[in-house]
Structure formats: structure tokens, C-alpha cells
Amino acid sequence: MVKRYNPDTPLRSRLSGLLLFFMPIPLLPAAMIALAQGKVIVMTASLIGLGLVFLAAVLTRKGILLDQESRMRKLQRRRGKLHYRLLSGMILATATALIAWFCTRNGLIVSLAYGLVALLGYYLYYGLDETRSSPDFSAIGVTAEEVIEAIDKAEQKLEDIELARKQMTDISLKRRLKTVIHDTRKILDIIEDDPRDLRRARKFLTVYLEGMRKVTKGYAALHNDNPQQELKDNFSNVLTTIESVVSEQQTKLLENDAMELDVQIEVLELQLKKEGVL
């Protein structure tokens, strides 16, 4: 009757691993009752069991989220030494045996049997951590983890830019920013397809994106409070340079051009400094 956990189910993707957080809640009132009755050992076992199940829940969710992340990426993090769901199952089994032995007064053999049943049930529902492997790019100066980390940081900056864009009222600027965000995500896709491009785009991802994030957030805040045409014109000029840099970077990566966009990026830096962004 047990249905194995399916991480591709939309609802379960959002709620994955949360069930374990609710399972041990009855142990809290049980511990309070045991304390009121003077059963210190039962109370201690209940609280320890509560903590162990919560720990198993945290580790389970960590393992599930890592697997979900690996499915959404072309690159995958290499599996670490820690197998989250295997460890979680063992912790849950230990907690179950402990509670059965000290709280419900079962014998040692029966308590161990309960623990094994809990481990089996955990495995049937959650399974074990998936095998994750990804080529090592250390020979070209980067690793899969470094590429993923750089893309994650870039995506966070793009999300901040998108939030600032939504605060703006000017339709034309919002459309231009939407195009810039879309084209920048294409660059991230190019890097993920060929991690060697990270070395050529590293300055772009740091200087350009951070400057773009700051100037966009700053303009969104100032323009809403004080909508002046001069401010709009200045931001439009900076946006024109940003659009040029994005287009040039995309072209160079697609052509595997080894030259960095030092000149264009320096122009953008000067403009951002002029606007008081950097």
C-alpha cells in the first residue's frame, strides 16, 4: 500500500519531507505528562526521540532539495560524503527503537524490530539519495560546483532586478529591462552548456550584474519618490550601455571568443560610478 515518494509531483515538490516534522509532535505532550508523573526516564526518552526525528526531517529535506536541484540543472553537484536520506533513515530507526523501549516499555528485541520497520517504511516512501555525478572541469580551472555557485549568485541578482523592474511605472523601461533579463539568462544557459565560458564571463557576472542590480534598484526607489525626466534619461543611457554589454557578451561566448569585454565593461563601470552606483 505504500506509494514511493515521487519528487516530480508538483505538490510534493513543495511539501517534500515536511511530514516528518509533524510526526513527532505527540511526543511533546507525552514528555510533559511523564514529567508531571515523575517519570524522568520516559520524559528524557520522549524529548530525545523528538529531537532525533526533527533532525531526520531536516536531513531528509536537505537530501530531497539537492536531488530536485540536480534535476533542474544541466550540471550537477558531485555527491558529498554525507548521504542525507540514508542517515535520516538510520536516525529515525534509532528514535523509534528508543521510544518503543523506554516510553512504551517494550523489550529490546521488539523495540529493535520497531526500529527496523521504521527504517523499511522510510526507505519505501523516500528511497535513498540519488547518484549525482558531473564531469570535473578542474583541468580548465573551474569545477562543476564553482559553475553552479556562479550561476546561483547571478540568478539571485536577476531576481532582485526583476523585483525592481516590477516597481517601475514606465512601460518602455520595463520592457527593455525584461529583455535584458531574458538575454542575461541566455548567457547563463551558455555557461552551463560549456563551463569553460565561465572564465571569459566571470567579470561580466560580477561587475555587470552587480552594477545592474544596484542601478536598477536605486532608480526604482528614486523614480517612484521623485519622477524627474533627467533621472529617467540617465537611467535610459545606462540601460543602453547594459544592453550593448549583454549583446556583446552573448555574441563572444557563442563565437568562443577568448577576449573579455574589458572595454565595454569599463565603459559601463564609468557610467555606474557617474550615477553614484559603484
Side-chain angles (χ1 to χ4, degrees):
M1 296 297 292
V2 175
K3 293 184 179 180
R4 181 180 288 275
Y5 157 76
N6 179 7
D8 296 321
T9 303
L11 180 60
R12 290 192 176 183
S13 294
R14 295 191 297 270
L15 304 180
S16 55
L18 295 181
L19 177 63
L20 287 175
F21 286 99
F22 296 97
M23 284 180 56
I25 290 178
L27 290 173
L28 186 57
M32 296 175 65
I33 293 173
L35 177 62
Q37 295 175 346
K39 300 178 180 178
V40 179
I41 294 179
V42 175
M43 179 203 69
T44 304
S46 298
L47 292 177
I48 292 176
L50 177 69
L52 288 175
V53 178
F54 268 119
L55 176 60
V58 170
L59 294 176
T60 297
R61 187 157 175 80
K62 175 69 174 178
I64 290 173
L65 292 178
L66 283 175
D67 288 340
Q68 288 177 354
E69 176 191 330
S70 70
R71 289 190 192 90
M72 294 186 293
R73 292 192 177 280
K74 299 171 187 175
L75 290 176
Q76 299 177 0
R77 296 182 191 273
R78 289 171 292 180
R79 183 200 291 275
K81 295 181 179 180
L82 186 60
H83 295 235
Y84 289 99
R85 275 185 268 182
L86 176 61
L87 180 59
S88 299
M90 296 175 64
I91 291 174
L92 182 64
T94 301
T96 303
L98 181 69
I99 294 167
W101 192 9
F102 289 100
C103 299
T104 59
R105 300 298 184 180
N106 287 291
L108 178 60
I109 301 300
V110 175
S111 299
L112 291 176
Y114 275 122
L116 291 175
V117 170
L119 179 60
L120 177 62
Y122 181 93
Y123 167 73
L124 291 175
Y125 188 73
Y126 290 108
L128 300 178
D129 299 273
E130 297 178 3
T131 301
R132 297 188 301 274
S133 61
S134 189
D136 187 1
F137 306 108
S138 56
I140 59 173
V142 295
T143 63
E145 283 78 7
E146 288 176 326
V147 177
I148 292 173
E149 193 71 26
I151 292 175
D152 282 345
K153 290 180 179 179
E155 282 288 354
Q156 183 58 57
K157 292 173 184 176
L158 287 176
E159 289 177 10
D160 291 343
I161 294 168
E162 176 62 24
L163 289 175
R165 186 189 76 86
K166 291 179 178 179
Q167 297 173 12
M168 298 180 186
T169 55
D170 189 284
I171 301 299
S172 63
L173 291 179
K174 292 180 70 172
R175 286 176 178 172
R176 291 174 66 186
L177 267 176
K178 184 176 182 180
T179 301
V180 167
I181 294 171
H182 179 265
D183 290 345
T184 303
R185 286 205 164 100
K186 284 185 179 179
I187 291 174
L188 298 183
D189 288 338
I190 294 172
I191 295 171
E192 197 166 2
D193 286 333
D194 187 357
R196 291 174 297 181
D197 288 327
L198 177 63
R199 297 178 64 186
R200 293 191 288 270
R202 198 181 294 274
K203 189 173 182 180
F204 169 83
L205 294 179
T206 53
V207 175
Y208 154 72
L209 274 184
E210 181 60 22
M212 181 181 170
R213 183 183 70 85
K214 288 182 178 180
V215 74
T216 305
K217 290 180 66 176
Y219 174 77
L222 291 174
H223 182 71
N224 291 336
D225 295 336
N226 187 17
Q228 296 180 356
Q229 185 62 38
E230 182 181 359
L231 181 62
K232 177 182 174 180
D233 292 341
N234 290 340
F235 179 72
S236 181
N237 292 334
V238 172
L239 190 54
T240 299
T241 306
I242 288 173
E243 290 167 336
S244 174
V245 172
V246 173
S247 177
E248 288 288 333
Q249 181 70 83
Q250 191 173 345
T251 300
K252 285 186 176 292
L253 291 181
L254 289 173
E255 294 176 351
N256 289 322
D257 194 328
M259 295 180 62
E260 292 186 353
L261 299 178
D262 288 339
V263 175
Q264 292 91 332
I265 291 178
E266 284 175 7
V267 170
L268 176 59
E269 273 189 276
L270 289 174
Q271 279 193 275
L272 294 177
K273 287 178 180 178
K274 183 179 178 181
E275 299 298 325
V277 176
L278 293 179

